[in-house]
Amino acid sequence: MNKYMIYLNSKRCIGCHGCEVHCKTNKDLPVGPFLCEISHEPLKAVKGVPKTEYHFRSCYHCEDPYCVPVCPTGAMKKREDGIVYIDTDSCIGCMACAGACPWHIPQFNPNTGKAVKCDYCMDRVDVGLKPACVTKCTTRALKFVTIQEI
Amino acid sequence: MRKTVWSMCSMCSVRCPIKVEVEDGKVKWIEGNPHILKGALCAKGSAGIALQRDHERPQQPLIRAGGRGAGKWEPVSWYTALDYVAEKMNKIKEKYGAKAVMLSCRGGPWQDLWKSFIHAFGSPNFTNHDSGCGRNVHHASKSVYGLGRKGFIYDIKNAKHLISFGRNLMASLRIAEVNQIMDMLDAGGSFTYVDVRQTLTGIKATRFFQVRPGTDYALALGMINEVIKQEAYDKEFIEKYTTGFDKMAEFVEQYTAEWAAKECGIKVKKLKDFVSEIGQQRPKVIFHPGWMLSRYRDSFYASRMLHILNVLMGSVEVEGGQQFPKTPADCGVKGLRTFSSMVPKPEDKRADGVGWKYKHFDKGPGLFHLFYDAMLTEEPYPIKGVICYRHDPFNCFPDVTAQKEAFDKCDLLVSIDTHYSEFGWYSDVILPESMYLERETPVCTQKGPKPRFAFRDRAVEPRFDTKPSWEIFKMLADRLGIGEYFPWTTAEEMWEFQLEPTGYKIDDLREKGFVALTDTPIMYDRDNLDGKFKTPSGKIEFVSQMLEENGLPSFKPYESPQKPPKGRFRLIFGRSPVHAHGHTINNPLLNELMPENTLWINSRVAARMGVKEGDWVDVIADSQKGTIRAHVTDFIHPEAVYTVHGFGRQVPLQSRAYHAGMSDQKLQEGLLEMMDPAGGGLCLCEKFVTVRRSPRNPRRRVEL
Ligand code: SF4
Ligand code: SF4
Ligand code: SF4
Ligand code: SF4
């Protein structure tokens, strides 16, 4: 069962794209790959005010991921707590995972020649911290939610 | 080894407090100081890491080898560079006097140091960028309260209503302020936004007035008229603390809500509803008086009216309103020792005329654009040397060609900056400053409900042969024989010099990047504010003695802004949250987010011109032209086109930013001399440009 999720409170989000850069600098990514993305709906007038909804997308950490079984080296893995991550030591950068993922989530890291994707910042989470994007979100619009087992 | 260093961001001029984590001499992580910002940081703040690693910045002192702007440089040692600058400065001093050298910066909490340097050299000509930014707001505030634009802080979090006239708060992005607005909205507060286009800020508003460009003053006048008509103002407060109310009421009588609605192109009912709403919510109502209001011919008067609306709301020293920023003295702590306390004040008149020709302007930094005249005419005396620290006049002021003509009369142009500025590229000497993670800065006082002392510590050693500015100025001062005014050789000694009267030690600040001087917010007694307003009368002045004495009206009759002729548009510019003016455009990670600017154009107008989203358009001024892609949208007034400022850079060594996008200031031809005579600000939105679909759009030549 997936234990975590990231939730965006669109009302608080200001579309500053901070989260995208917080993520990139935390993972030391060069120009090219983005592991999360802020997008918005076209503006629509609500009671005379043109408004929009913001969306945050990283990896969905699928219950039954498409990316894991296609990985030829077993580098793409799913943890007990649901986090889908890449074991970089075994990744050969073939990008089969990106092809299999319906949203093309895994990205190619030109610096390492390997795939990289959102892993909910598990190194931070495992020591009791929040993911980079959540910790540094400009307006505290992003929340890292731990789903309670019933 | 991992260590934590407390510092302050410098990617924009907000200077958010940050916590930097360093491992083996490398910056690994930057977050907003958790004690103040709870970790929050913007995209630029995180991209500081990319700036530190970027090699497309000056790596050692450079002396110009070819013609100005030709891009031929001789890399030299610090000793050679500083000896060179000192020798040139001394030569100018011998021939024309020390006053012929001016120094400009970008303001901020450390300007005392740069100002002391040029004063110690013997020149009164210290200035900054502000006539292309906030001078109108500053002088408007002085005319009403006798206090500058930093004379109040805004308790937005506890407000019931925030009103912004085109201040794009979410894109200008002061993290603490933005969070206050979000908290206010979460608590059910109202937010009214006025602009010629919809912005990141406007989409958070609860009410939006899309006005015709240049009519802010009309709307403010109509609001005051209606506030008085509905008796929605704080009579007691007005009675007690203000003068000139009747004259003001008489003046606004002609500017009814009906008139304003028509002039601005909005609905009168919406305006009246707005006024009855704020009448209920006062005094917890904040009219943001604007920041960068070097825009229209009447921006100064518009800002005055916004200040006056705050007074009418009684929004002074109340929770959820404007508050006086408290000082160390309010906490019973002695202030920092200033650098200027050591230095005798130069006696010469300023070359920009501020203080003697223009008595109503603040003498502190004067007005940079007026120095161009002194360079060209040598009146009141010649200006032959210009030092720009962190300031890029070519990016900040309009009409770069006209500026160059004036600078060509100078014998010495020096740029001190962390990156190649456009001015730096044209200058004679570039003295590269270490970027903010590689340098320390003096201690500064941050006034507010809970004042603090804060500072920036060095997180990592400079990657290149660069130096912090305190050291550059100190080394230059030694060579000019004025070293005794800066009695320290290390940062530690400088901090000690500043902190000595306060009783604090730098290690106290090193614990979390600052020391708070009180635990609980301080408020003055609102019933006893006498002495707090620094106008000649000691009251809040609707009729300003300062203006009237200088032959300027307190209230300027409204003049409707000119409509652009057919095919032409008013060129409006603004901010994006991922860039800070021109100096972040080349940052690898920010450039990736926004590599170029676009031209916003109204969809109906665009349809008539055959311009579609993403088409190349030529934007033409008198002799200058820019070509960028169109962004076609319903949400901009048909009279205006809009672009993000800072693009179209021309420094070849900045490969990502080089000629990417379009520069608005190059198109602002003729605006260098268009100053608001009352406010001192330039009128940068007073340029009409022609827009046409560019021949550069690709055409398919082969169909089959
Ligand atoms: S950092 Fe926060 S506020 Fe900014 S875009 Fe991301 S989620 Fe929105
Ligand atoms: S990469 Fe794609 S398939 Fe794999 S877990 Fe993420 S969203 Fe699912
Ligand atoms: S959780 Fe971590 S890896 Fe995933 S998007 Fe946020 S910062 Fe990036
Ligand atoms: S707003 Fe962003 S860029 Fe500006 S100082 Fe704060 S973190 Fe730095």
Side-chain angles (χ1 to χ4, degrees):
Chain A
M1 192 36 213
N2 281 0
K3 201 172 145 197
Y4 306 114
M5 65 177 279
I6 291 178
Y7 160 79
L8 174 69
N9 176 356
S10 168
K11 267 173 86 178
R12 263 193 98 93
C13 174
I14 57 164
C16 70
H17 297 268
C19 42
E20 298 174 356
V21 184
H22 304 332
C23 169
K24 286 190 73 145
T25 50
N26 178 50
K27 290 252 190 296
D28 206 1
L29 296 180
V31 168
F34 279 92
L35 306 193
C36 60
E37 185 184 78
I38 284 284
S39 60
H40 68 82
E41 304 280 325
L43 267 55
K44 228 174 47 209
V46 181
K47 289 192 208 142
V49 186
K51 292 259 176 196
T52 188
E53 283 283 316
Y54 288 106
H55 303 292
F56 173 87
R57 189 174 83 168
S58 60
C59 164
Y60 296 103
H61 297 272
C62 305
E63 286 289 348
D64 200 0
Y66 300 88
C67 55
V68 172
V70 300
C71 177
T73 63
M76 187 71 83
K77 295 185 166 68
K78 188 170 173 78
R79 299 206 311 191
E80 279 277 289
D81 59 7
I83 294 179
V84 179
Y85 73 102
I86 298 165
D87 165 19
T88 15
D89 288 345
S90 338
C91 174
I92 53 166
C94 70
M95 300 311 289
C97 49
C101 168
W103 307 277
H104 216 79
I105 295 289
Q107 310 259 308
F108 184 70
N109 181 348
N111 274 4
T112 58
K114 298 177 185 226
V116 59
K117 68 178 270 303
C118 167
D119 58 3
Y120 278 163
C121 291
M122 59 189 198
D123 53 331
R124 291 178 59 83
V125 171
D126 290 346
V127 295
L129 298 167
K130 300 242 152 71
C133 53
V134 173
T135 309
K136 291 163 60 174
C137 166
T138 309
T139 61
R140 302 190 280 284
L142 285 173
K143 291 266 172 292
F144 188 60
V145 187
T146 306
I147 299 157
Q148 302 291 334
E149 302 228 11
I150 312 157
Chain B
M1 220 209 30
R2 211 167 163 108
K3 63 168 184 176
T4 296
V5 182
W6 300 97
S7 176
M8 282 157 98
C9 183
S10 184
M11 293 296 286
C12 78
S13 299
V14 174
R15 300 179 191 86
C16 291
I18 52 173
K19 178 180 164 194
V20 185
E21 283 179 18
V22 178
E23 203 175 293
D24 302 326
K26 276 198 155 160
V27 180
K28 288 285 177 192
W29 172 264
I30 307 175
E31 69 177 33
N33 188 324
H35 303 284
I36 300 171
L37 293 177
K38 302 194 182 124
L41 207 62
C42 78
K44 292 162 284 176
S46 270
I49 296 187
L51 169 65
Q52 204 258 330
R53 294 182 190 167
D54 190 11
H55 63 274
E56 291 194 354
R57 54 183 171 117
Q59 303 181 5
Q60 70 187 96
L62 299 170
I63 295 181
R64 179 167 63 82
R68 278 192 180 150
K72 277 209 164 43
W73 298 99
E74 191 187 335
V76 294
S77 71
W78 275 97
Y79 295 105
T80 311
L82 292 169
D83 286 348
Y84 180 87
V85 173
E87 196 194 307
K88 287 264 188 183
M89 284 177 74
N90 278 330
K91 268 207 184 125
I92 294 174
K93 185 174 179 173
E94 264 167 43
K95 199 159 166 201
Y96 305 97
K99 59 183 190 252
V101 180
M102 63 182 276
L103 182 142
S104 181
C105 66
R106 287 262 309 281
W110 298 295
Q111 50 181 318
D112 185 43
L113 182 54
W114 344 126
K115 186 166 153 180
S116 302
F117 169 81
I118 198 68
H119 281 184
F121 180 66
S123 170
N125 293 315
F126 169 75
T127 186
N128 67 19
H129 71 298
D130 210 36
S131 62
C133 185
R135 272 299 98 169
N136 279 333
V137 180
H138 179 74
H139 287 136
S141 179
K142 284 202 98 167
S143 75
V144 176
Y145 302 108
L147 302 164
R149 69 166 161 167
K150 293 185 184 144
F152 286 104
I153 46 165
Y154 314 117
D155 183 20
I156 297 173
K157 186 178 173 169
N158 297 308
K160 288 188 175 157
H161 203 144
L162 172 69
I163 302 99
S164 166
F165 275 61
R167 171 70 176 156
N168 192 353
L169 297 147
M170 306 302 166
S172 308
L173 221 174
R174 307 172 80 89
I175 294 177
E177 183 178 68
V178 165
N179 276 291
Q180 285 211 36
I181 299 170
M182 290 304 147
D183 292 348
M184 178 201 81
L185 288 170
D186 280 350
S190 322
F191 180 25
T192 294
Y193 187 68
V194 182
D195 207 332
V196 303
R197 65 179 191 109
Q198 182 55 309
T199 61
L200 285 179
T201 305
I203 54 182
K204 297 296 179 197
T206 49
R207 185 187 283 102
F208 177 52
F209 290 120
Q210 191 183 47
V211 295
R212 176 157 108 76
T215 60
D216 286 1
Y217 185 37
L219 185 58
L221 288 170
M223 283 177 177
I224 296 183
N225 177 295
E226 188 63 22
V227 163
I228 296 175
K229 197 167 285 164
Q230 292 191 22
E231 296 190 36
Y233 57 96
D234 188 333
K235 286 187 189 147
E236 218 175 296
F237 185 79
I238 305 277
E239 185 71 22
K240 196 165 157 95
Y241 290 119
T242 72
T243 66
F245 177 82
D246 294 339
K247 277 243 166 66
M248 198 256 312
E250 197 183 302
F251 169 72
V252 298
E253 223 175 274
Q254 53 186 313
Y255 302 116
T256 60
E258 285 75 12
W259 167 85
K262 194 159 164 244
E263 176 63 19
C264 303
I266 57 168
K267 295 218 165 65
V268 66
K269 178 167 183 310
K270 208 162 146 184
L271 179 52
K272 291 190 168 180
D273 287 351
F274 163 76
V275 171
S276 34
E277 190 180 324
I278 55 173
Q280 301 294 315
Q281 292 160 326
R282 72 173 170 78
K284 296 191 177 200
V285 174
I286 300 171
F287 281 82
H288 195 293
W291 188 268
M292 194 295 179
L293 271 191
S294 293
R295 294 190 183 268
Y296 301 98
R297 281 172 218 269
D298 53 13
S299 289
F300 166 77
Y301 285 97
S303 181
R304 253 179 72 73
M305 291 305 140
L306 298 176
H307 286 298
I308 285 176
L309 276 158
N310 277 327
V311 178
L312 293 175
M313 295 295 108
S315 177
V316 174
E317 203 60 3
V318 284
E319 185 181 88
Q322 299 192 103
Q323 296 172 359
F324 291 98
K326 309 305 179 306
T327 63
D330 291 315
C331 312
V333 177
K334 280 222 170 80
L336 297 172
R337 177 178 293 134
T338 62
F339 300 110
S340 46
S341 62
M342 304 279 294
V343 180
K345 267 232 158 88
E347 280 163 14
D348 288 304
K349 301 188 290 191
R350 294 180 61 99
D352 56 2
V354 174
W356 53 280
K357 191 166 159 197
Y358 305 105
K359 288 202 182 121
H360 56 298
F361 295 145
D362 190 344
K363 253 203 307 194
L367 299 169
F368 189 121
H369 65 273
L370 293 176
F371 283 99
Y372 290 117
D373 215 34
M375 288 173 209
L376 286 167
T377 63
E378 310 210 333
E379 290 296 334
Y381 51 80
I383 288 290
K384 292 292 173 189
V386 182
I387 303 172
C388 283
Y389 169 61
R390 273 185 78 244
H391 176 208
D392 185 354
F394 292 166
N395 189 56
C396 159
F397 294 122
D399 203 341
V400 178
T401 317
Q403 292 183 55
K404 284 184 180 167
E405 244 167 69
F407 282 132
D408 285 346
K409 301 273 182 201
C410 295
D411 301 338
L412 176 67
L413 305 178
V414 182
S415 160
I416 306 174
D417 221 324
T418 56
H419 62 282
Y420 295 109
S421 71
E422 302 268 325
F423 169 81
W425 197 247
Y426 196 74
S427 69
D428 306 327
V429 186
I430 295 179
L431 300 176
E433 186 179 25
S434 305
M435 58 82 66
Y436 67 100
L437 297 166
E438 304 170 333
R439 70 171 190 254
E440 15 348 58
T441 45
V443 180
C444 63
T445 308
Q446 296 180 328
K447 297 179 193 169
K450 293 199 255 176
R452 10 176 222 256
F453 293 136
F455 85 127
R456 179 186 287 136
D457 210 349
R458 185 185 294 219
V460 288
E461 287 309 309
R463 203 176 137 205
F464 302 117
D465 188 13
T466 59
K467 287 186 187 299
S469 52
W470 66 262
E471 199 180 341
I472 299 175
F473 282 105
K474 166 70 180 165
M475 289 173 78
L476 203 49
D478 284 342
R479 282 166 174 72
L480 293 164
I482 48 173
E484 88 243 36
Y485 295 117
F486 309 94
W488 22 260
T489 44
T490 62
E492 302 277 337
E493 284 169 16
M494 172 179 67
W495 291 325
E496 216 170 285
F497 166 87
Q498 292 185 279
L499 284 169
E500 200 267 326
T502 69
Y504 287 102
K505 294 266 173 277
I506 200 66
D507 283 341
D508 300 325
L509 278 80
R510 278 204 168 113
E511 262 169 48
K512 44 186 187 174
F514 65 97
V515 279
L517 305 182
T518 165
D519 295 333
T520 43
I522 301 173
M523 286 287 267
Y524 298 145
D525 175 8
R526 190 168 179 266
D527 293 330
N528 194 10
L529 293 177
D530 293 329
K532 296 281 184 240
F533 306 111
K534 306 293 181 197
T535 53
S537 64
K539 298 259 183 196
I540 297 175
E541 293 184 356
F542 292 128
V543 175
S544 158
Q545 277 191 42
M546 178 187 85
L547 289 176
E548 305 275 336
E549 271 166 20
N550 286 284
L552 294 156
S554 295
F555 310 108
K556 187 173 105 142
Y558 179 75
E559 286 170 56
S560 189
Q562 210 190 328
K563 259 198 175 63
K566 200 166 176 294
R568 306 184 78 191
F569 301 87
R570 198 180 275 277
L571 178 63
I572 310 280
F573 55 89
R575 295 278 308 261
S576 148
V578 305
H579 281 302
H581 311 301
H583 70 263
T584 57
I585 310 286
N586 201 51
N587 181 295
L589 294 185
L590 299 174
N591 187 270
E592 183 180 26
L593 289 178
M594 187 179 189
E596 54 189 33
N597 53 359
T598 57
L599 190 81
W600 283 45
I601 184 162
N602 179 278
S603 21
R604 270 178 296 134
V605 178
R608 278 205 298 273
M609 294 166 51
V611 169
K612 288 189 286 300
E613 175 74 19
D615 279 356
W616 291 102
V617 284
D618 293 333
V619 189
I620 307 158
D622 312 335
S623 69
Q624 298 283 329
K625 188 184 88 176
T627 303
I628 45 171
R629 288 186 188 276
H631 172 52
V632 175
T633 166
D634 291 347
F635 303 102
I636 182 166
H637 195 280
E639 280 181 24
V641 288
Y642 163 84
T643 196
V644 173
H645 172 73
F647 285 86
R649 295 180 66 76
Q650 290 181 345
V651 178
L653 290 185
Q654 295 184 321
S655 65
R656 308 164 202 110
Y658 188 51
H659 283 294
M662 179 189 82
S663 142
D664 51 316
Q665 70 275 14
K666 290 194 187 99
L667 296 171
Q668 292 161 350
E669 290 168 279
L671 295 193
L672 195 56
E673 279 160 22
M674 196 187 277
M675 174 181 86
D676 184 324
L682 290 165
C683 310
L684 300 180
C685 291
E686 296 288 1
K687 187 74 192 171
F688 292 154
V689 290
T690 305
V691 178
R692 64 164 193 225
R693 197 167 177 279
S694 174
R696 191 170 146 187
N697 284 299
R699 255 185 307 152
R700 267 178 78 172
R701 299 201 180 273
V702 181
E703 280 296 336
L704 286 168

